[in-house]
């Protein structure tokens, strides 16, 4: 009897372990955590000081004894211990949610976790994510490729014998997959995505204006002015281009400097990376079997991830590929919602070829 009570109190969890943001979904409750993938810790003792939004505010502002780090790079773990501590923090936070009623129980069962990972990671990198989840307190850890999770989260018919193309543009990787019969027929994992776009803006400001800005400022500029098509870099119902004031350090004098930049300039800065993304989509289409390609031409390409929110990206892909493009509803949460769907339908675990681990 008590074992059944404990099972009811243990939450199954879906995690989109992203390079920029980590989202946590609890079965039956929806998305409960949306936090930046940033950890602040003491340099010498490696003691964790803060995680998530509070740690992100420290980026570029920490004293000598503290550093704010991003434990994932290009979609994979670059700092195992810090990632484990972050996952443990999120799992504990879920179990401290109100209404648990765990005060009278000596121990709550550890959760089962499904984690979205890039499709191009190595077996060692897969094992690192799995071990981090198990060490952080999971009783079972399953890994699902992000494009597959995005397709499930977007309610696409992945089990049918028809071709479906999904492009998931995250912070560290761009995932491109053609899915049919519950498996990926073609998949590409491009390690350029949102972070690379931010770096493009940093480099543009340095070379064009001799102005040094940080990654956080570059991300804000990308969100405010970023576009992939000329028609989407203007104010709504107006012909004037979007513009903003950027503040940074003059590389020549070392003093603060402010300049005005426009959406046209930012589009020029982002153009090379966006071109690489579209080229990778075209390469995947060229390798797609003709029968599946016919389905994709009819159904279109589905965009997910934060990169799908770049203004005019869908129209730019349409012009270059001649295929309709659809942006998923709430593309930022598509992957974690797919992880949640897998938790609700455990039979789907074997169908989508998820790898798993038990502790």
């Amino acid at each position: 009897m008590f074992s059944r009570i404990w099972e009811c109190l243990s939450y199954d969890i879906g995690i989109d372990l992203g390079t920029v943001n980590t989202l946590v979904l609890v079965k039956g409750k929806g998305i409960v955590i949306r936090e930046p993938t940033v950890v602040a810790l003491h340099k010498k003792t490696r003691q964790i000081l803060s995680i998530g939004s509070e740690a992100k505010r420290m980026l570029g502002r920490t004293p000598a004894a503290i550093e704010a780090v991003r434990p994932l790079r290009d979609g994979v773990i670059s700092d195992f211990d810090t990632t484990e501590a972050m996952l443990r923090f999120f799992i504990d936070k879920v179990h401290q949610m109100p209404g648990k009623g765990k005060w009278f129980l000596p121990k709550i069962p550890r959760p089962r976790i499904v984690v979205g990972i890039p499709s191009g990671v190595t077996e060692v990198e897969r094992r690192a994510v799995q071990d981090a989840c198990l060490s952080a307190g999971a009783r079972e850890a399953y890994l699902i490729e992000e494009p597959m999770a995005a397709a499930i989260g977007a309610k696409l018919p992945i089990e049918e014998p028809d071709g479906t193309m999904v492009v998931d543009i995250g912070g560290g990787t761009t995932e491109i997959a053609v899915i049919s019969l519950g498996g990926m027929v073609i998949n590409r994992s491009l390690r350029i995505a949102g972070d690379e776009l931010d770096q493009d803006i940093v480099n543009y400001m340095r070379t064009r204006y001799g102005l040094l800005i940080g990654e956080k400022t570059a991300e804000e500029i990308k969100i405010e002015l970023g576009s992939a098509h000329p028609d989407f870099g203007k104010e709504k119902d107006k012909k004037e281009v979007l513009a903003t004031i950027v503040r940074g350090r003059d590389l020549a004098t070392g003093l603060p400097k402010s300049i005005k930049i426009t959406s046209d300039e930012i589009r020029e800065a982002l153009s090379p990376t966006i071109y690489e993304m579209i080229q990778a989509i075209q390469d995947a289409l060229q390798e797609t079997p003709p029968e599946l390609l016919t389905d994709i031409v009819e159904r279109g390409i589905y965009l997910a991830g934060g990169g799908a929110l770049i203004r005019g990206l869908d129209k730019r892909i349409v012009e270059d590929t001649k295929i309709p493009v659809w942006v998923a509803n709430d593309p930022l949460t598509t992957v974690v919602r797919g992880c949640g769907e897998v938790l609700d339908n455990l039979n789907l675990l074997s169908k989508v070829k998820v790898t798993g681990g038990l502790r």
Side-chain angles (χ1 to χ4, degrees):
M1 176 180 176
F2 280 111
S3 64
R4 289 188 178 181
I5 295 175
W6 293 357
E7 286 296 328
C8 291
L9 292 172
S10 177
Y11 288 155
D12 288 341
I13 300 172
I15 300 179
D16 178 8
L17 190 61
T19 305
V20 176
N21 295 295
T22 295
L23 286 78
V24 179
L25 177 145
V26 174
K27 182 179 178 181
K29 290 188 175 291
I31 299 171
V32 297
I33 295 175
R34 302 187 190 207
E35 295 281 359
T37 311
V38 184
V39 178
L41 65 162
H42 195 280
K43 282 186 177 180
K44 290 185 178 180
T45 64
R46 310 306 291 176
Q47 177 186 358
I48 304 296
L49 302 177
S50 62
I51 294 174
S53 299
E54 186 179 346
K56 186 177 181 179
R57 289 196 294 268
M58 299 182 184
L59 283 172
R61 303 170 184 269
T62 57
I66 300 174
E67 64 176 341
V69 300
R70 294 169 58 183
L72 282 87
R73 287 289 177 185
D74 297 330
V76 297
I77 294 175
S78 59
D79 187 331
F80 181 87
D81 293 335
T82 305
T83 302
E84 179 189 332
M86 182 182 69
L87 287 171
R88 187 182 299 277
F89 172 80
F90 291 142
I91 292 172
D92 290 345
K93 193 171 182 179
V94 166
H95 277 277
Q96 291 168 7
M97 291 169 59
K100 293 289 288 182
K102 68 175 185 178
W103 56 271
F104 62 91
L105 294 173
K107 185 179 179 181
I108 296 297
R110 292 174 297 185
R112 175 171 46 208
I113 295 179
V114 174
V115 185
I117 60 170
S119 59
V121 299
T122 65
E123 192 60 37
V124 173
E125 291 166 338
R126 285 173 177 265
R127 191 67 191 175
V129 175
Q130 202 169 73
D131 289 346
C133 292
L134 295 173
S135 299
R139 78 176 186 271
E140 297 175 27
Y142 297 93
L143 309 181
I144 179 172
E145 288 87 354
E146 286 176 352
M148 182 66 75
I152 296 171
K155 306 290 187 181
L156 301 180
I158 63 167
E159 297 180 62
E160 295 181 6
D162 298 316
T164 302
M165 176 172 254
V166 177
V167 180
D168 176 35
I169 307 172
T173 62
T174 296
E175 306 290 324
I176 304 166
V178 175
I179 299 170
S180 179
L181 293 171
M184 291 191 293
V185 180
I186 301 290
N187 72 288
R188 294 285 179 273
S189 185
L190 199 65
R191 296 203 174 186
I192 58 171
D195 283 349
E196 191 72 17
L197 295 172
D198 295 343
Q199 193 59 47
D200 286 343
I201 295 174
V202 172
N203 295 337
Y204 182 87
M205 300 305 294
R206 181 190 294 116
T207 56
R208 180 73 178 269
Y209 294 105
L211 187 72
L212 182 63
I213 61 173
E215 291 182 4
K216 185 178 179 181
T217 301
E219 183 183 15
E220 292 170 352
I221 295 171
K222 178 184 69 177
I223 294 171
E224 185 177 354
L225 300 182
S227 66
H229 194 280
D231 293 347
F232 292 82
K234 299 179 176 63
E235 294 185 31
K236 192 174 183 180
D237 301 327
K238 296 182 180 179
K239 294 184 178 180
E240 294 85 0
V241 295
L242 295 169
T244 191
I245 301 297
V246 178
R247 297 174 179 84
R249 186 172 73 227
D250 192 324
L251 291 173
T253 65
L255 298 175
K257 180 181 178 181
S258 299
I259 61 169
K260 182 178 180 180
I261 58 171
T262 66
S263 58
D264 287 345
E265 293 177 283
I266 299 305
R267 185 172 61 256
E268 179 186 343
L270 302 181
S271 182
T273 298
I274 290 176
Y275 174 80
E276 284 190 60
M277 294 178 184
I278 296 175
Q279 188 64 48
I281 294 172
Q282 292 174 329
D283 292 343
L285 288 170
Q286 289 175 4
E287 297 181 24
T288 302
E291 291 81 3
L292 297 181
L293 186 59
T294 302
D295 298 331
I296 294 170
V297 170
E298 292 178 357
R299 293 185 173 188
I301 299 170
Y302 292 85
L303 299 184
L309 297 174
I310 296 175
R311 298 177 185 87
L313 180 60
D314 52 346
K315 186 171 182 179
R316 173 78 181 274
I317 296 174
V318 169
E319 289 185 354
D320 289 354
T321 63
K322 313 304 180 187
I323 297 175
V325 175
W326 310 97
V327 179
N329 293 328
D330 195 7
L332 282 167
T333 66
T334 310
V335 171
V336 75
R337 284 188 281 120
C339 294
E341 290 288 333
V342 172
L343 288 171
D344 286 335
N345 182 7
L346 296 182
N347 292 328
L348 205 56
L349 285 174
S350 58
K351 292 181 181 179
V352 298
K353 301 177 178 61
V354 180
T355 60
L358 199 59
R359 185 177 180 180

